[in-house]
Amino acid sequence: SLMVDVTGQTRKEKVILPLYLQGKKPNTIPNKKIEDPVSGKLSISSLATRQDLSGFHLIPSSVTFGVLKEGCTYATTVIMKNVGVNFSRFRVKQPPPYTGLRVMYTPGPVAAGLQVELEIEILAMVFGGKDTGGLEEVSHDIEILTETETLLLPVKANILC
């Protein structure tokens, strides 16, 4: 029950469910729905509560690198899981070079229930000659184009100059 914790005591604060359990997906733009005559509609009772039977989830849903030293390269991994019932394809729109970001991944279809790793790499560099007080913020949304939607992966970093 959500009313009591693991020790059997009444909870003091409300339990906040993750967005993916609430049926909401953060940072997504739906594509125009194209009828797929082959796949058809599913009516399986265990999946009847799910509104969206296709798509990907990003784990984590955003990346924060923190404070980075200028001139160094940093990397982190984001998992992209296919939560649909069919295999799906995706591609990543590479960020512009001035951001210093690059996404490395293996293209191809992802089977239902499986996941792929996206390696997000950032070269910490500062553009412009302005004095920003020793810290410059880099913020960019990486676009991941899937068959049903466009996922936005926010990436933030502060570069120490």
Side-chain angles (χ1 to χ4, degrees):
S1 172
L2 296 176
M3 305 309 260
V4 295
D5 60 12
V6 294
T7 62
Q9 302 296 322
T10 305
R11 291 185 186 273
K12 293 181 177 97
E13 62 270 343
K14 185 178 178 183
V15 175
I16 300 172
L17 292 175
L19 291 175
Y20 65 89
L21 290 178
Q22 296 176 9
K24 300 175 186 174
K25 287 178 143 184
N27 302 323
T28 59
I29 302 168
N31 292 343
K32 290 182 180 178
K33 185 66 178 164
I34 299 170
E35 281 296 319
D36 188 5
V38 177
S39 68
K41 294 196 178 217
L42 291 175
S43 58
I44 300 171
S45 63
S46 64
L47 296 174
T49 58
R50 295 281 316 249
Q51 296 169 342
D52 188 15
L53 298 176
S54 64
F56 289 93
H57 282 299
L58 294 172
I59 306 167
S61 59
S62 66
V63 175
T64 304
F65 279 100
V67 179
L68 310 177
K69 181 180 175 186
E70 185 179 10
C72 296
T73 302
Y74 300 86
T76 189
T77 301
V78 173
I79 294 173
M80 194 165 151
K81 185 171 185 174
N82 183 356
V83 294
V85 293
N86 292 325
F87 74 90
S88 288
R89 298 178 187 275
F90 73 96
R91 72 179 183 85
V92 177
K93 186 176 177 185
Q94 291 292 336
Y98 69 84
T99 61
L101 290 167
R102 187 170 70 164
V103 182
M104 292 173 285
Y105 67 101
T106 305
V110 182
L114 295 185
Q115 62 192 29
V116 293
E117 291 184 351
L118 306 176
E119 186 172 343
I120 313 297
E121 189 176 272
I122 184 168
L123 171 61
M125 56 186 175
V126 177
F127 283 105
K130 297 185 271 182
D131 182 25
T132 57
L135 211 59
E136 183 169 319
E137 184 177 323
V138 174
S139 180
H140 186 76
D141 290 339
I142 296 174
E143 294 182 33
I144 303 168
L145 307 164
T146 69
E147 295 170 345
T148 58
E149 62 200 356
T150 300
L151 301 171
L152 299 176
L153 177 65
V155 178
K156 293 182 182 179
N158 290 315
I159 300 172
L160 189 63
C161 24

